[in-house]
Amino acid sequence: MKRFNTARFLEHKAGVAGAAILAVAALVAVVAPLLIPADALDVTRVTDAPWQAPGAGHWLGTDHTGRSIALLMVQGAGTSLFVGLTAAVLSVAIGMLVGIVSGHFGGLLAGALLRITDFFLVLPALVLAIVLSTVLPRGLGTIVLAIGLTSWPSTARVVRAQTLTIEARPFVERARALGGGHGHVIAWHVMPSVVPLVLVNATLAVASAIVAESTLAFLGLGDPTRISWGALLHQAQLHGAVPQRAWWFLLPPGAAIVVVVLAFTLVGRALEAVVTPER
């Protein structure tokens, strides 16, 4: 198994470019909202005219209430990235647990876990997320839960396959012959081989989670108290940005989603090339 090597990662120019984009996005999401005045996005205090085209006063124009699209984009970056990261962590954690347990222990437990995994694989993840978001109380936690609970099966399959491969190696058999228990085998032999693949899968899972959050928010199933890029697209559609020909209300959030998802994908592919075993 190839260990992660920074020098090898830097050889992948697309991955480095993706990492740079993500660093800028993270900086904007964390630091920029602290610099926004408290009343800048308050619809009761905004004095600018609605539907202003991009110009010197507002680089990305204004929305239907007169709020700056640029400030809304900055505010929404934190929500979109937070949901993407937390939902991906939840998804990968469930998938890793199911994959290791089913691959290591086998028997009836593995059979039951595989049937559950197959059930989630057959049903469309987005449809399940929409159902959960509709049934459960509206909020950011519900979105994270809905995405995380419906997108783990692919990780479980990858982790299970890697677990079975590692446990078939002679050194694992020797460890068991010397008295190594389940905890020893999993912690010292399975986990070191599984974690690099999980890291790659997690990077790609964040991209999928951001798209899922944007889709749910666009459908009006997001947190109504939070601004996100998907919520901006929902507001643009709801308040007639197309009839108003306000392309500046539609293009920036859509472009931000595409760019950030592409950046996570590029980083994930670069990590995959670094940690994938040699053929």
Side-chain angles (χ1 to χ4, degrees), residues 101-200:
V101 171
S102 62
H104 176 78
F105 292 99
L108 293 176
L109 178 59
L113 290 176
L114 287 176
R115 298 295 77 78
I116 294 173
T117 303
D118 291 339
F119 171 78
F120 278 94
L121 281 173
V122 171
L123 295 178
L126 182 59
V127 174
L128 287 176
I130 291 174
V131 171
L132 288 176
S133 299
T134 304
V135 173
L136 297 176
R138 297 274 294 276
L140 213 58
T142 296
I143 298 175
V144 171
L145 192 64
I147 297 173
L149 291 180
T150 57
S151 57
W152 57 266
S154 59
T155 302
R157 285 290 187 179
V158 171
V159 171
R160 180 177 184 273
Q162 184 67 8
T163 301
L164 292 173
T165 300
I166 295 301
E167 297 206 0
R169 303 279 176 85
F171 61 82
V172 175
E173 296 180 5
R174 288 195 295 268
R176 285 173 173 160
L178 292 173
H182 297 300
H184 174 83
V185 171
I186 292 175
W188 292 96
H189 299 292
V190 175
M191 291 291 288
S193 298
V194 165
V195 167
L197 293 179
V198 169
L199 177 63
V200 174

Side-chain angles (χ1 to χ4, degrees), residues 47 94 128 144 229:
T47 58
I94 296 173
L128 287 176
V144 171
W229 293 334

Side-chain angles (χ1 to χ4, degrees), residues 22-88:
L22 294 181
V24 173
L27 184 64
V28 169
V30 173
V31 177
L34 301 177
L35 306 178
I36 299 177
D39 59 346
L41 298 179
D42 188 345
V43 294
T44 64
R45 299 184 180 181
V46 171
T47 58
D48 294 313
W51 304 119
Q52 288 189 45
H58 297 284
W59 294 351
L60 296 180
T62 61
D63 67 355
H64 60 287
T65 64
R67 294 179 299 176
S68 169
I69 298 295
L71 296 183
L72 290 171
M73 287 287 298
V74 168
Q75 194 72 25
T79 303
S80 295
L81 291 178
F82 173 79
V83 172
L85 289 170
T86 52

Side-chain angles (χ1 to χ4, degrees), residues 192-258:
S193 298
V194 165
V195 167
L197 293 179
V198 169
L199 177 63
V200 174
N201 200 273
T203 308
L204 299 176
V206 175
S208 299
I210 290 176
V211 173
E213 185 279 330
S214 300
T215 302
L216 292 175
F218 177 73
L219 294 175
L221 299 175
D223 188 341
T225 65
R226 299 273 186 165
I227 299 173
S228 70
W229 293 334
L232 290 179
L233 290 175
H234 173 68
Q235 290 295 321
Q237 183 271 335
L238 185 65
H239 294 284
V242 174
Q244 292 286 342
R245 297 184 179 179
W247 57 266
W248 56 88
F249 200 178
L250 293 166
L251 186 58
I257 294 170
V258 171

